[in-house]
Amino acid sequence: MFSAERLGTMGWLAVGLLAGILLGLLVGWVLWPTQFTDADLTVLQESYRRDYTVMIAANYTLDGDLMGARRRLFQLGETDPEAWLLAVTVETILQGTAAPDAAQDVQHLVRLCRDLGLYSPLMEPYLSSE
Amino acid sequence: MNEPRPLPRRRQRNETGRSGEARFTPISLILIGLLIGVAGSLYYTWIVDPVIYVDASPARLRSDFKAEYIFLVGQSFVADNDWPRAQQRLNLLADPDIGQTITTLLEQTLRRGESAERARSLALLAAQLGETGPAVAIFAPTIAVMPDGSPTSTAAAATATPTLTATPTLPPTATPTPTATPTATATPSPTPRPAYRLLSQERVCQRTLPAPRIEVITVNAFLEQEPGVAVLVSWEDGEDRFYTGFQPELGAGYGDFLMAPDVSYSVVLVPGSPVVSGLRIEPCPANLGGLPGGWRLTFQNLTIPTREP
């Protein structure tokens, strides 16, 4: 049987320590975690990184700065930025162009892919209209 | 007699232990442990192994990445002309005063001497958010985009200083009252939203020669002169049309029409604009020569051009 009297000094200290550690972990990781407000683009949620990629392509349509587009894609932190761009383009095409602005997004993405030397058979209809 | 006596040192240690047990009650021991545990684990969770967010929103971005994000939102808005989408993207920054943030960013951009394209993009966003100020006025034409994506003019400050604005409440009159300053009367146009707005109306005066002409200058949304715009000039018993851009030495968007004395003219752009009526040859002020003079009308295209690379 557990007896409070048998715990002794170290026992009570250990009980307090254990409770303190659990409380600290709860506060530090769950209730009040460190708030990072100086993040870079690599920590963005994937949907935001996709949207950012679409914006990079739209900007490229306007300024034609291929190096700038490359630099911005690189900042997204993907191991292979060009593969990422092609994947976003393919996904956007597969989602269809029914959504507002989807057709324009595809045009922007396909143009950037083409100028970076990337290709997917899905891009073919858009390449012929370029 | 030979009974061993306890060592003083050992006796002293026992006394300390007994007195220690008496000082630290179980509650105080738990509190000490609790404090040590909380301090240690907070150090671990906040410093050694903090929570790393890998699915962050743009609101958590560093300021330079936020600036780049805002610029790209502006460029996308220029490209697709979809203001609700741009707003949705800006809302992700969770900035309660995003308009002021963009205006500040625009001013920083100008101070650093960055490209006019970047400034225009930011100014457009700022203007859409209702921001005013010199930088916004210079780089953003006063354009608001309706929820359906089509642009329309707003009452915000213009980039130039218009001397006359359309007054749609005036009743249509067959013969405008002769006054020193003709009134621009907005009459119903064939389309609900005209493609052009009247940006300014000024006198044309020359000190040495009469200047009895109507000068029309057409500019695009970025205030760059725009050639090839058809202008319709009408008067009581006739009409004529000309195009801007046929005198490139006077400007890519310039065109003019010679006026006859005692005739009242109306001018409208064929793609759609307010009608400017009551234009007559008027004597210029004495300090400008006092000779007969005409009128210079500047029209701004409300459609944001999409630029191909």
Side-chain angles (χ1 to χ4, degrees), chain A residues 45-102:
Chain A
Q45 198 181 76
E46 185 173 322
S47 62
Y48 297 137
R49 275 185 289 136
R50 286 180 183 278
D51 191 45
Y52 196 87
T53 306
V54 171
M55 290 197 287
I56 291 171
N59 180 54
Y60 173 68
T61 300
L62 294 179
D63 69 9
D65 180 3
L66 199 57
M67 289 302 291
R70 264 186 210 276
R71 178 179 53 78
R72 290 188 173 106
L73 284 171
F74 184 77
Q75 285 174 338
L76 287 169
E78 296 295 327
T79 48
D80 187 347
E82 293 187 346
W84 162 261
L85 171 66
L86 191 59
V88 171
T89 305
V90 167
E91 276 303 312
T92 308
I93 294 171
L94 289 176
Q95 280 168 9
T97 54
D101 302 318

Side-chain angles (χ1 to χ4, degrees), chain B residues 1-107:
Chain B
M1 188 169 171
N2 292 328
E3 190 178 340
R5 298 180 63 183
L7 292 171
R9 190 177 171 190
R10 184 177 178 81
R11 189 164 61 238
Q12 190 179 3
R13 184 184 292 168
N14 285 345
E15 282 171 6
T16 306
R18 278 198 300 273
S19 65
E21 284 174 8
R23 273 204 306 272
F24 296 109
T25 62
I27 295 294
S28 58
L29 286 169
I30 287 175
L31 285 177
I32 291 169
L34 200 69
L35 283 176
I36 296 170
V38 167
S41 55
L42 284 182
Y43 175 77
Y44 183 77
T45 55
W46 284 348
I47 310 290
V48 178
D49 186 18
V51 175
I52 302 290
Y53 289 96
V54 291
D55 285 339
S57 75
R60 293 195 183 278
L61 290 176
R62 211 169 61 203
S63 60
D64 55 337
F65 286 115
K66 274 186 185 171
E68 186 72 357
Y69 180 87
I70 290 170
F71 166 66
L72 289 178
V73 171
Q75 288 289 83
S76 295
F77 173 52
V78 172
D80 61 24
N81 211 18
D82 186 344
W83 176 238
R85 191 186 200 195
Q87 268 184 313
Q88 199 176 14
R89 283 166 166 162
L90 290 175
N91 287 342
L92 293 174
L93 292 169
D95 186 339
D97 200 1
I98 185 68
Q100 184 55 49
T101 302
I102 295 173
T103 305
T104 306
L105 205 57
L106 169 63
E107 288 166 1

Side-chain angles (χ1 to χ4, degrees), chain B residues 52 68 103 110 149 197 224 236 262:
Chain B
I52 302 290
E68 186 72 357
T103 305
L110 294 170
R197 68 167 185 153
E224 297 159 342
E236 193 176 3
D262 302 317

